[in-house]
Amino acid sequence: MDFLKRFQSERHARLLQSGAADASALAAARRALVDLGPEGMTIVLDTLAEHAPTSATPLTIATLVELTTEATLPRLTGMLASPMPLLAETARTTLVAALRQADGRMRGRAAEVLATHAGPDVVAAVQPLAIEPDAATRRYAIEILHRACSPSATPTLIRALDDDDWWVRERAVDALGQARAAEAVTPITRLLHRDPRAATACIRALGAIAQPDCVEPLVRLAQAEEASVREAALNGLRALSEAALDP
């Protein structure tokens, strides 16, 4: 890239960050950067690092989401561990925004990156997505929280047991079981009663949580008519017994 084009591109990046222009000028600046592809992302990020604002503006983040591709995703992934808080936050915010805004494939790729790097900051940033209107966004959020296995996500996962989407409900159950969240026993038991399709997942989670409150529903379900439910309940009771014997 020649000097003049670089200068103009850096000006576009600063303009998006400041927002000091009319809508058409901002749209033109954004389009010019997006048209540069990976170089556009480099310029936006270098401009942020050079001027060190408090945080990237929504326009800057939206531009970075458009620039998120297979070619640029490794750059964002590496930035999650940046010693510069601004760049780490920008990468995290861009990837979370991509869960809402990017195309289907990149949404999945962004979710995988966030799940792999699901520290406390990622968990906090992802939790609001669990109540998004779009079911696919909620699925991505719950899957990331499942992988994170963080106690701080327990209230969000419990709320997700009432989600309209069956996949969100069942993955939330799995996540609560994996986290051995004792406070989830009653909500999981309620879900088990109202949604027989979730019985196996609920039973598996109760067995994993292994609290005394889990015994009664599992004993009752061990006598269910459906063989798969009986088997799951017996496995859950077995897990409870093993947990009780574990010093």
Side-chain angles (χ1 to χ4, degrees):
M1 181 183 294
D2 62 38
F3 173 80
L4 179 58
K5 190 168 185 179
R6 174 83 189 193
F7 176 80
Q8 290 173 331
S9 299
E10 289 174 348
R11 181 174 175 276
H12 289 148
R14 290 194 299 272
L15 191 63
L16 289 179
Q17 186 60 24
S18 70
D22 60 34
S24 61
L26 291 171
R30 179 174 170 178
R31 178 48 49 199
L33 287 164
V34 170
D35 287 345
L36 291 175
E39 282 188 314
M41 179 172 282
T42 297
I43 288 168
V44 172
L45 295 175
D46 287 352
T47 302
L48 276 176
E50 180 181 351
H51 294 277
T54 304
S55 61
T57 63
L59 268 175
T60 296
I61 294 298
T63 303
L64 288 170
V65 170
E66 280 198 78
L67 286 163
T68 301
T69 64
E70 290 290 349
T72 58
L73 193 60
R75 175 79 185 270
L76 289 174
T77 303
M79 279 172 50
L80 288 170
S82 172
M84 187 173 181
L86 170 64
L87 293 182
E89 180 192 355
T90 297
R92 185 168 59 249
T93 305
T94 298
L95 289 165
V96 170
L99 296 179
R100 293 190 185 102
Q101 301 168 19
D103 63 39
R105 175 170 173 75
M106 288 315 302
R107 290 174 83 179
R109 296 285 285 115
E112 181 60 30
V113 170
L114 289 167
T116 304
H117 299 80
D121 290 336
V122 167
V123 169
V126 165
Q127 288 191 65
L129 300 187
I131 57 171
E132 283 280 307
D134 176 56
T137 302
R138 300 198 305 276
R139 289 185 176 197
Y140 285 127
I142 294 300
E143 186 60 31
I144 292 166
L145 297 178
H146 184 294
R147 296 270 293 275
C149 197
S150 169
S152 66
T154 296
T156 297
L157 292 167
I158 289 175
R159 284 194 297 272
L161 299 180
D162 294 320
D163 198 278
D164 292 338
D165 185 84
W166 70 270
W167 195 97
V168 170
R169 293 195 302 272
E170 291 203 14
R171 290 304 279 168
V173 170
D174 288 340
L176 290 164
Q178 177 179 281
R180 302 187 70 177
E183 58 268 52
V185 171
T186 298
I188 289 173
T189 303
R190 284 200 298 264
L191 175 61
L192 191 157
H193 290 321
R194 73 172 185 269
D195 184 3
R197 295 171 301 178
T200 300
C202 290
I203 292 166
R204 185 169 59 242
L206 292 173
I209 293 170
Q211 293 292 312
D213 291 350
C214 300
V215 174
E216 187 275 330
L218 290 176
V219 168
R220 182 165 36 79
L221 288 163
Q223 304 168 49
E225 291 184 9
E226 189 175 340
S228 62
V229 172
R230 291 198 306 273
E231 182 181 357
L234 289 170
N235 286 336
L237 289 167
R238 196 172 296 115
L240 277 168
S241 299
E242 291 171 356
L245 293 172
D246 193 20

